């Protein structure tokens, strides 16, 4: 049974940092493209960052230079280090898994391509 479990969300002030984790189980984690998405109230689900099987990364323009995605294949865990947080980063954050490499993924920011999702972890940034 595939499971993705996020943790690490919370409430911080603007300029603060948080580190999200996503523990994966039930599938061969190292052969999946992994991403973080977020969804703010009243907004569409947005791709935040993605990491390929070979470790190459991609970011939404809104988080470049502030967020870092990483993974530990030995622990089957995905991370998102979020620095210089802004109120507009407030959202529910989800990790997602695509079965294959970036070459097979038409658009990493399109949530419809992903097979597995976590339940989400809330991030709230106050000004």
């Amino acid at each position: 049974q595939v499971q993705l479990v996020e943790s690490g969300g919370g409430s911080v002030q603007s300029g603060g940092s948080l580190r999200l984790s996503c523990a994966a189980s039930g599938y061969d984690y190292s052969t999946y493209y992994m991403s973080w998405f977020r969804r703010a109230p009243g907004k569409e689900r947005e791709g935040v960052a993605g990491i390929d099987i070979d470790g190459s990364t991609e970011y939404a323009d809104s988080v470049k230079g502030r967020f870092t995605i990483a993974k530990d294949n030995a622990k089957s865990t995905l991370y998102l280090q979020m620095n210089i947080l802004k109120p507009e980063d407030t959202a529910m954050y989800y990790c997602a898994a695509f079965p294959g490499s970036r070459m097979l993924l038409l658009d990493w920011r399109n949530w419809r391509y992903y097979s597995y999702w976590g339940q989400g972890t809330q991030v709230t940034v106050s000004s």
Side-chain angles (χ1 to χ4, degrees):
Q1 181 181 357
V2 174
Q3 273 196 315
L4 296 175
V5 180
E6 301 96 336
S7 61
S11 297
V12 295
Q13 290 193 323
S14 182
S17 297
L18 282 174
R19 188 195 195 202
L20 306 183
S21 298
C22 171
S25 61
Y27 68 101
D28 190 352
Y29 174 84
S30 65
T31 64
Y32 280 62
Y33 185 97
M34 300 294 297
S35 287
W36 287 98
F37 283 78
R38 66 186 180 187
R39 186 165 189 175
K43 293 190 176 181
E44 290 284 323
R45 200 175 325 192
E46 173 190 22
V48 174
I51 186 165
D52 203 354
I53 293 170
D54 65 358
S56 56
T57 59
E58 297 173 274
Y59 297 91
D61 288 343
S62 58
V63 306
K64 276 181 185 175
R66 300 189 298 122
F67 290 11
T68 302
I69 188 171
K71 61 177 181 171
D72 185 332
N73 285 341
K75 296 182 179 179
S76 296
T77 301
L78 181 71
Y79 302 100
L80 185 68
Q81 178 66 45
M82 305 186 294
N83 299 327
I84 318 175
L85 282 161
K86 305 175 181 180
E88 51 264 43
D89 295 318
T90 295
M92 186 71 80
Y93 283 72
Y94 302 88
C95 63
F98 170 81
S101 71
R102 180 64 174 90
M103 289 176 57
L104 302 176
L105 185 55
L106 191 62
D107 182 359
W108 73 270
R109 296 163 297 179
N110 189 331
W111 61 269
R112 296 168 182 83
Y113 292 123
Y114 291 79
S115 299
Y116 305 120
W117 291 84
Q119 83 290 347
T121 185
Q122 178 67 37
V123 172
T124 302
V125 185
S126 58
S127 57

